[in-house]
Amino acid sequence: GMLTGDGCVNINNELSLSLQEKDKEHVFKFRDFLKSNHPISKIYNKNKKDGSKSISYAISISNKKIVNDLRRIGFTNKKTYHMDFPNINENLISNYMLGLVDSDGSFNIKKQSNSLSFNFVGPIEFVEKFQKILIEKCNVSKTKLGLNKKTDFIRLIYYNGYKNILKIVKFLYEK
């Protein structure tokens, strides 16, 4: 799931994973998981809007088997615009979706109203499938998908309320 959100397979048949500095340990864990000695690059990005430095850590791996396996389940080099929800083993769905949430979603607590919320963002068809699974597995209601003001192909799922959030957390985290 995290690779779907923060990784890519480029036209040179390389798998790349790039994460912001605060999550750099995940890049190292990913490399260790693959038993790889590929270098991890420290990348100095454009400064953030507030003027602070933006640093990320990235790894790129050329491995035909890994790349072909990812392509077989729907990875493309244009996944920002279109990504099919992969047909993966049922017992891996919650793990996969948790990885997606880690990269393209969030849980939030609003202190002033003491309320909880959950959101996930992605391409329209992908978000629709994500929501369908939440409806089936968590017994939450279908909600209207939010629009992204900058694009017409990105949608946002939003849930709030203690009961809904608890159902989603149990599905994603209980194994």
Side-chain angles (χ1 to χ4, degrees), residues 105-123:
S106 66
F107 289 95
N108 298 294
I109 299 172
K110 293 182 182 176
K111 292 181 183 176
Q112 57 272 54
S113 62
N114 199 27
S115 63
L116 301 172
S117 65
F118 165 79
N119 68 67
F120 175 75
V121 64

Side-chain angles (χ1 to χ4, degrees), residues 2-27:
M2 185 175 64
L3 282 177
T4 301
D6 291 326
C8 72
V9 172
N10 65 32
I11 57 174
N12 297 325
N13 292 318
E14 289 181 323
L15 166 63
S16 296
L17 175 64
S18 179
L19 299 175
Q20 60 187 343
E21 185 174 31
K22 73 175 187 153
D23 296 324
K24 70 181 178 184
E25 74 276 358
H26 294 295
V27 178

Side-chain angles (χ1 to χ4, degrees), residues 139-155:
N139 195 29
V140 295
S141 300
K142 183 174 184 175
T143 63
K144 183 177 179 182
L145 300 179
L147 298 173
N148 182 312
K149 295 176 183 166
K150 296 178 184 176
T151 67
D152 61 350
F153 58 87
I154 299 293
R155 293 295 182 269

Side-chain angles (χ1 to χ4, degrees), residues 53-138:
K53 294 195 183 308
S54 174
I55 298 171
S56 58
Y57 285 77
I59 186 170
S60 292
I61 298 172
S62 296
N63 182 300
K64 283 185 180 182
K65 178 172 178 12
I66 292 173
V67 168
N68 288 337
D69 287 348
L70 288 170
R71 284 201 169 123
R72 190 172 29 82
I73 64 166
F75 245 71
T76 68
N77 62 330
K78 299 282 186 181
K79 67 179 179 49
T80 299
Y81 305 100
H82 177 79
M83 176 71 183
D84 291 326
F85 207 91
N87 184 15
I88 58 177
N89 192 316
E90 182 71 21
N91 65 350
L92 298 176
I93 291 290
S94 64
N95 291 312
Y96 177 74
M97 290 175 68
L98 179 58
L100 289 168
V101 171
D102 281 344
S103 60
D104 293 326
S106 66
F107 289 95
N108 298 294
I109 299 172
K110 293 182 182 176
K111 292 181 183 176
Q112 57 272 54
S113 62
N114 199 27
S115 63
L116 301 172
S117 65
F118 165 79
N119 68 67
F120 175 75
V121 64
I124 297 170
E125 295 87 7
F126 196 86
V127 170
E128 288 171 341
K129 177 67 176 179
F130 189 100
Q131 184 179 52
K132 182 179 176 188
I133 293 169
L134 288 180
I135 292 167
E136 292 171 3
K137 302 291 186 183
C138 304

